[in-house]
Amino acid sequence: MFKDKIYGMLTPETKRIIQEFREDPLRKVVYTSFDGDDMHHMLAICDSVLKHDMIALNPEMALGYYISTETLGGKKINVMTDCLTLTIFSDRLWVYGKTDALLSEGIMAEIFLWSQIKNKKATFIPNIYGSKMVEMNYLEVKEWLDKMTDEKFRSDIFNSLLTPYKMEKHQTVYIGANFVNYKHIDWARVQAYKERLCPISPQNILSYFLYHGFDDNGTRYLKDRLTLLAKSDMYWLCIDSTNLEAELNKLDQNTLAELYMLNTVYKDKAVKIVDWGDIKVPKYDKSKMWALTSKEQEEILGSNWPIEFRK
C-alpha cells in the first residue's frame, strides 16, 4: 500500500524536520484581526508575526474575500462565521487598530468572541509598520469592549452573529495538495464553503515568499504546515484520482510529510481524497478538453481517462 511507502519517499532533511517537530511543543498561531480596508498591507502584517517566531493566520489570505463571499451567498454572517472559527483556531489575537476608537464591526465581533471563549490577552497594534504593541489581559479586554461599545451595538453583534455561532459546531478542513496544484486551491476552498467547512489552506495562509527569506531549507515552513495540520479537524488530499498512483508518486515533500503524520500520529483525523475533476477544475473535468495541444492533453489524461483528445 502507498502509506507503507511514504516514509521511504521522504528525504533525510524532511525526516529530520519531522523529528524536530514531534519533539517540540506546537508552534503558536496568531490570528491577525484587521480591517479589510488594509488588505494591501497583508504581507506586512504576516511578516510582523513571523518576525516574532509565530504563525500568522490572516483571514483574507486564509479565506479569500471574493470566493468566500460569493460562495456563501453574499451573506456577511456566513463569511464572518469562518473568521470566527479561525479566531478560535488560533493561540494569540493580534488586533491591527487603535485602542481609542471603535473598530470595524467584524474586528469587534472577533474580539468579543475571543474574550468569551479564550479568556486570553489580546495585543493591539496601532500602526502596521510601527513597533508599538499594546497588550491587554482578558479583564482589560472586557473593560475595553464595554467602554468602546454601547448596549445596542453589543445586542446587534450577539443576536445576529455571536450567539447563533456559539450554538453550532464548526469544523476546519486542512487542504492538502501538491505544490504544482496551488493554482487549483480556490476550487477546493469553494468546495469547503459548500460543505460548511472552514478551509485551512497552507499554500494560502503561509506566504512561501516570506518563508523563503529564512534560508533554512524549508524547515520553518514545514513545521508551520504541520502545526496547522495538527490543529485542523480533518484532511482533504486534493488530487487527480483517475491517475492516483502516478499522482501520489509525484507529491512534494511537504504533502508527503503531512500524509506520514496522518498515518502515524494523527490517526484520528478523517482523511478524504477529493478529485480535482469532481470539484469542477476545468483541466481535470473529464467531460471537457482543456489543453490547446495534443501533447499537453495527453499529459493531463494520463493512461486512465475515458476520453480521447481530438484536434
Side-chain angles (χ1 to χ4, degrees):
M1 297 179 66
F2 178 76
K3 68 177 183 179
D4 299 322
K5 298 165 49 180
I6 295 175
Y7 190 74
M9 297 172 70
L10 301 175
T11 65
E13 182 70 4
T14 301
K15 292 177 181 177
R16 177 192 65 79
I17 296 171
I18 291 174
Q19 185 60 35
E20 288 182 5
F21 173 80
R22 295 182 66 173
E23 293 172 353
D24 295 336
L26 277 183
R27 291 174 51 71
K28 299 300 182 183
V29 177
V30 177
Y31 183 78
T32 58
S33 181
F34 79 123
D35 194 310
D37 292 348
D38 292 327
M39 201 175 291
H40 50 298
H41 298 303
M42 284 190 304
L43 283 182
I45 289 172
C46 293
D47 189 46
S48 68
V49 175
L50 290 176
K51 287 177 178 176
H52 283 79
D53 197 28
M54 292 184 286
I55 303 170
L57 181 49
N58 181 274
E60 164 57 23
M61 293 184 71
L63 304 173
Y65 188 62
Y66 172 75
I67 63 167
S68 62
T69 304
E70 183 69 14
T71 309
L72 294 170
K75 298 178 180 179
K76 188 172 185 178
I77 290 175
N78 293 342
V79 176
M80 278 301 305
T81 291
D82 286 325
C83 293
L84 296 177
T85 298
L86 294 180
T87 303
I88 301 305
F89 181 91
S90 303
D91 305 295
R92 306 279 174 84
L93 175 65
W94 284 15
V95 180
Y96 288 81
K98 298 179 179 180
T99 58
D100 60 355
L102 181 67
L103 304 176
S104 72
E105 62 182 19
I107 293 178
M108 297 303 292
E110 291 163 351
I111 300 173
F112 269 116
L113 187 70
W114 180 266
S115 174
Q116 287 202 340
I117 303 297
K118 303 291 274 192
N119 279 329
K120 293 182 178 180
K121 70 179 182 180
T123 301
F124 290 78
I125 301 170
N127 182 350
I128 292 172
Y129 295 94
S131 59
K132 182 179 180 180
M133 304 177 80
V134 180
E135 288 194 352
M136 295 185 188
N137 63 40
Y138 75 97
L139 289 177
E140 291 171 330
V141 171
K142 291 178 184 292
E143 292 173 358
W144 180 83
L145 288 168
D146 287 339
K147 176 183 176 182
M148 300 307 302
T149 62
D150 57 30
E151 186 175 345
K152 182 66 168 65
F153 184 94
R154 292 191 291 271
S155 177
D156 287 344
I157 286 287
F158 277 87
N159 290 338
S160 62
L161 179 62
L162 296 182
T163 299
Y165 176 86
K166 291 187 292 183
M167 293 175 63
E168 297 182 359
K169 183 178 181 181
H170 305 276
Q171 291 190 304
T172 55
V173 56
Y174 186 102
I175 298 176
N178 204 344
F179 243 132
V180 298
N181 291 114
Y182 176 28
K183 58 190 175 184
H184 302 133
I185 290 297
D186 275 354
W187 278 271
R189 291 199 290 182
V190 165
Q191 185 62 31
Y193 296 137
K194 289 179 178 178
E195 297 188 24
R196 297 295 183 178
L197 297 170
C198 179
I200 302 296
S201 171
Q203 293 94 336
N204 296 95
I205 295 170
L206 310 176
S207 167
Y208 199 70
F209 168 74
L210 294 179
Y211 278 85
H212 186 69
F214 292 119
D215 194 27
D216 61 357
N217 293 320
T219 297
R220 185 166 169 187
Y221 179 77
L222 177 53
K223 287 182 179 180
D224 287 357
R225 281 182 67 140
L226 295 179
T227 298
L228 295 177
L229 172 63
K231 294 172 70 66
S232 298
D233 295 307
M234 62 187 75
Y235 183 91
W236 284 358
L237 176 61
C238 299
I239 199 166
D240 173 17
S241 62
T242 308
N243 292 299
L244 186 59
E245 184 175 356
E247 292 294 306
L248 288 172
N249 288 324
K250 292 189 294 185
L251 290 176
D252 60 72
Q253 287 293 300
N254 296 296
T255 310
L256 287 171
E258 293 162 3
L259 295 177
Y260 172 75
M261 293 295 287
L262 287 165
N263 280 294
T264 56
V265 180
Y266 307 132
K267 294 181 179 181
D268 58 331
K269 292 188 189 296
V271 177
K272 178 181 177 181
I273 292 180
V274 176
D275 182 83
W276 291 121
D278 291 342
I279 57 176
K280 307 304 180 185
V281 176
K283 180 177 179 178
Y284 297 100
D285 188 336
K286 300 170 182 60
S287 66
K288 297 178 180 179
M289 298 298 180
W290 173 253
L292 301 176
T293 64
S294 56
K295 180 180 182 299
E296 178 158 335
Q297 190 66 16
E298 288 171 2
E299 292 175 358
I300 295 172
L301 299 182
S303 59
N304 299 318
W305 278 54
I307 55 177
E308 294 182 4
F309 181 79
R310 302 297 182 188
K311 186 73 175 173

